Amino acid sequence: MHGGMTAQQCVAQAQAAEAAGIDAVWFAENPFARGIMPAATACALATKTQSIGAGVFNPYGRHPTLIAMEIGALDELSGGRVRLGIGSGLGHAVERMGFSTKRALTTLREAIDILRALLRGEEVTYAGTVFNVQRVKLDYRPRADIPIFMAARGDNAVKACGEIADGMIVSNMCTAGFVAGSVRSLHDSARAARRIAMPGVVQYMPCVARADRDEARLVARRAVAEMVPTYWALGQRLPGAKNALLQGSGIAEDEFATAAARLKAGDAADAVLDDRYAAAFTISGNAEDCRAQAAAYAAAGVTELALTFSSAADMEYIGKAFAR
């Protein structure tokens, strides 16, 4: 779920997901859209067993002390069902708010340090490169072990995630082949840090699950088409983002570039993208197709799929498919 949805729409989807046997919801907070706290709060009250994931907050728009205040209170309200995701955010949007992203990884490390100490109930004095906190302590006692996931894609971010986070969040438009390499690096880093439990891995992606495979793949290609120009542009600036699109996708770099240009120019998704895009970047098709695609991500090391559904019917269908 995301800021393009009202709180009422989020509640309806969360309740439908719980009824379908889906045991967690994640809220993507994008700059300048609706903040997720009203919807996450409403869903915490409207559901009984689902894990509530905030994924992701960035420490530019929300100071670490504010994140601790809000996430601790939300977890208290939900009865201990909350997980926190934190990431450096979308660079161009962060810069529009007047912040520099040149020290994004340092910013995340410091934010997580401050968050963990506050959630443990400590009085925090912290003089970092980015954050300076003096004698801050929460006025209530939150759950100390709220899981903190970190969004990561680049090599250094994945390494840091293995060292300091409880889990890694992988964005949309990352192939299973790319994720497999990232998970190996994540686990290597966690072992080097002498961590006992390996971090979990949450993969974001669209899901269109229907008995009619052709219909499902058509809708899935349209979902991917909405993301291709943005992620291809990101890939021109960040090598890791480009690798995430190409590695194991079966799509050549020049094909991807042409597709991004055509979609940006207004060409219809149906005329630009073929089923390779749906196969690489979505869980889509009939029940058998979806189970096979999910198995590929599980083999890559993904422990949880955070799926974006186009309809409640798709959600119900996928729930039945994985209940078998």
Side-chain angles (χ1 to χ4, degrees):
M1 291 182 276
H2 51 80
M5 301 167 65
T6 66
Q8 292 89 338
Q9 289 172 322
C10 289
V11 166
Q13 192 166 107
Q15 290 177 323
E18 192 168 58
I22 296 171
D23 59 8
V25 291
W26 283 90
F27 294 84
E29 183 167 83
N30 297 316
F32 319 126
R34 295 176 182 86
I36 68 167
M37 286 303 294
T41 300
C43 289
L45 291 170
T47 60
K48 296 179 180 178
T49 61
Q50 278 182 336
S51 170
I52 308 291
V56 299
F57 285 157
N58 80 70
Y60 300 100
R62 275 190 170 87
H63 192 276
T65 57
L66 177 59
I67 295 175
M69 290 162 55
E70 292 191 329
I71 210 69
L74 179 63
D75 184 70
E76 182 181 62
L77 176 69
S78 73
R81 291 185 282 141
V82 164
R83 292 180 290 174
L84 169 64
I86 185 167
S88 57
L90 301 174
H92 66 280
V94 169
E95 290 165 0
R96 286 170 62 190
M97 291 188 285
F99 298 103
S100 170
T101 58
K102 291 181 180 179
R103 293 175 172 170
L105 194 50
T106 298
T107 300
L108 287 178
R109 282 184 176 275
E110 293 186 5
I112 290 174
D113 284 346
I114 294 168
L115 275 163
R116 288 204 188 278
L118 288 171
L119 293 174
R120 288 193 298 264
E122 299 173 10
E123 180 178 279
V124 180
T125 294
Y126 191 99
T129 302
V130 178
F131 296 109
N132 192 307
V133 175
Q134 300 296 319
R135 299 181 60 192
V136 173
K137 187 176 187 296
L138 296 182
D139 288 341
Y140 69 102
R141 189 63 184 262
R143 178 163 61 106
D145 60 349
I146 294 174
I148 299 178
F149 286 64
M150 179 176 150
R153 178 170 45 210
D155 293 342
N156 290 334
V158 170
K159 181 177 183 294
C161 187
E163 295 169 353
I164 63 175
D166 298 305
M168 180 170 73
I169 295 177
V170 183
S171 77
N172 285 295
M173 301 296 286
C174 292
T175 66
F178 175 81
V179 174
S182 295
V183 172
R184 285 192 295 270
S185 297
L186 176 76
H187 289 176
D188 287 345
S189 176
R191 282 189 286 265
R194 298 186 178 181
R195 301 185 65 183
I196 298 173
M198 291 295 103
V201 180
V202 177
Q203 168 79 47
Y204 277 40
M205 60 196 318
C207 179
V208 186
R210 300 178 185 181
D212 186 329
R213 171 187 289 167
D214 292 338
E215 178 187 347
R217 289 288 172 85
L218 174 63
V219 177
R221 293 199 304 272
R222 291 172 181 172
V224 173
E226 295 179 2
M227 298 186 284
V228 164
T230 298
Y231 280 86
W232 183 249
L234 183 65
Q236 306 317 296
R237 295 190 291 109
L238 301 175
K242 181 183 283 188
N243 289 341
L245 297 171
L246 299 176
Q247 188 174 338
S249 69
I251 305 167
E253 184 171 346
D254 60 339
E255 291 181 286
F256 224 114
T258 299
R262 289 183 62 189
L263 291 168
K264 188 175 181 180
D267 287 3
D270 301 358
V272 176
L273 304 184
D274 56 37
D275 275 354
R276 290 176 300 168
Y277 290 85
F281 303 113
T282 71
I283 301 293
S284 61
N286 60 28
E288 182 179 351
D289 298 325
C290 293
R291 285 194 293 266
Q293 289 168 313
Y297 276 93
V302 172
T303 57
E304 181 177 344
L305 290 170
L307 303 175
T308 303
F309 294 95
S310 60
S311 72
D314 288 349
M315 192 184 304
E316 182 179 359
Y317 183 87
I318 201 76
K320 292 178 180 178
F322 283 89
R324 295 174 186 172

